[in-house]
Amino acid sequence: MHLDMRINGTTKLTGLIGNPVEHTVSPVLHNSLFNALGINGIYVPLKVPSGCLKDAVMGLKASGFAGFNVTIPYKEEVLDCVDEVSIEAKLLGAVNTVKIDEGRLYGFNTDADGFIRAFYKQTGTGFEKKHVCLLGAGGTAKALAVKIALEGAKSIGIINRTEIKAIEIAANVNRVPADNGCTGKMALAAVSDTVEAVRMLNECDIIINTTSVGMHPNIDSCPLQQGFIFRSKQIVYDVIYNPIQTKLLANASANGCKTVNGAGMLFYQGIKAFEIILDTVVPEELSANLSTEFLKYLGV
Ligand code: ATR
């Protein structure tokens, strides 16, 4: 009989609050980091029913958790459960990482950082002076739009099925103060598949899908109309990583575009969250090796 010595009284406790959490791959990433860095810690998925977020967060605080990640559908609601919110998380309107320190809860957002780091690593391109279109107007679109504005994009088109949500995000981006390097009224909203949306898509440098359209099991769906022609100089990014090549990316690739899926974003937001919660730095070489293994595990 083999004794499992991994957990003891000094194990650092971390986890992921969300609903559903059955398919999360974050425990693989975080527990591999604990292991590789020789830190006595564990990361567990915590499925929290609707209406129980505050109780769950207070329970983790009372139980001595070091921190936790937050995923759908709680990234916005958790703002009301923390004592302090980073400037960036406040601007982005969402928290995906909470650090607990001496009984106080600090909220951060590492999704947008992870996206920028992955995008740059995988395309060699940043957002400065770029014309960008975002498909979708949910929580992910909101965070990415503000971050892309802060990175110095020239224009951001928010294209969504439901107009009011696109208008709200565009207004939010246009409120990003000019002293953050933004140029003022740079965001515009459009309804999916309209002439205006197609014009914005034709003219932009980078197209980013933040909707769930094309995600497993609906792999034959595409957030752009059948027959949309991409320009080969456009970069097309899909936050979806299952499947690794969505219909959108396959169509873009067939038009000669550089395409990237969301696996890198998932990886780097996790690295950053781990660093914040554990007050540590993951060495570049370790993250490069782990990234290879993690993407292999995801089938990327
Ligand atoms: P997340 O937090 O991951 O961004 P979300 O807030 O639920 O998730 O947002 C999902 C986005 O995908 C929304 O913009 C949604 O469009 P609506 O605002 O019109 O609801 C978009 N979306 C989801 N399913 C869609 C579909 N079948 N067709 C078009 N857009 C869809």
Side-chain angles (χ1 to χ4, degrees), residues 2-243:
H2 155 82
L3 293 181
D4 188 335
M5 314 286 276
R6 285 174 300 175
I7 311 290
N8 56 39
T10 60
T11 303
K12 285 191 196 314
L13 305 172
T14 65
L16 169 72
I17 283 184
N19 190 4
V21 292
E22 281 82 356
H23 298 289
T24 177
V25 292
S26 292
V28 173
L29 174 57
H30 287 259
N31 288 319
S32 301
L33 283 167
F34 279 129
N35 201 9
L37 290 165
I39 299 173
N40 177 11
I42 188 167
Y43 184 100
V44 289
L46 302 156
K47 183 171 173 173
V48 174
S50 168
C52 298
L53 179 66
K54 210 157 212 152
D55 286 347
V57 169
M58 290 308 128
L60 297 188
K61 174 176 153 180
S63 312
F65 268 58
F68 54 92
N69 281 133
V70 184
T71 188
I72 291 168
Y74 297 125
K75 289 183 189 182
E76 294 176 9
E77 196 181 332
V78 78
L79 277 160
D80 296 330
C81 303
V82 299
D83 299 304
E84 285 182 40
V85 183
S86 74
I87 293 172
E88 179 149 313
K90 204 176 278 173
L91 265 177
L92 307 184
V95 161
N96 81 324
T97 301
V98 176
K99 180 183 174 63
I100 306 176
D101 194 17
E102 294 188 355
R104 280 186 79 73
L105 279 73
Y106 300 87
F108 299 86
N109 187 307
T110 71
D111 282 334
D113 251 347
F115 166 75
I116 297 293
R117 192 165 166 197
F119 189 90
Y120 188 74
K121 277 201 178 263
Q122 293 177 279
T123 66
T125 309
F127 288 95
E128 207 176 337
K129 299 200 170 62
K130 292 288 195 290
H131 296 278
V132 182
C133 276
L134 286 173
L135 307 176
T140 307
K142 185 175 173 186
L144 296 193
V146 171
K147 185 72 180 179
I148 289 166
L150 294 171
E151 292 287 308
K154 193 135 197 164
S155 73
I156 304 180
I158 316 287
I159 297 168
N160 196 43
R161 177 177 64 177
T162 311
E163 184 174 27
I164 183 68
K165 286 165 76 178
I167 290 173
E168 277 168 14
I169 293 188
N172 195 43
V173 171
N174 288 332
R175 275 195 299 270
V176 172
D179 58 5
N180 280 306
C182 300
T183 49
K185 303 260 177 257
M186 40 110 75
L188 276 179
V191 177
S192 313
D193 305 331
T194 58
V195 173
E196 177 64 358
V198 173
R199 184 193 60 76
M200 280 156 62
L201 285 161
N202 283 333
E203 290 174 1
C204 72
D205 306 301
I206 300 168
I207 298 173
I208 301 161
N209 176 43
T210 72
T211 75
S212 49
V213 181
M215 192 189 285
H216 181 82
N218 302 314
I219 58 171
D220 289 326
S221 312
C222 180
L224 294 183
Q225 267 177 330
Q226 187 69 22
F228 178 83
I229 311 281
F230 298 86
R231 283 182 296 107
S232 63
K233 285 217 166 67
Q234 291 180 309
I235 297 175
V236 183
Y237 190 100
D238 203 325
V239 300
I240 295 171
Y241 58 85
N242 181 13

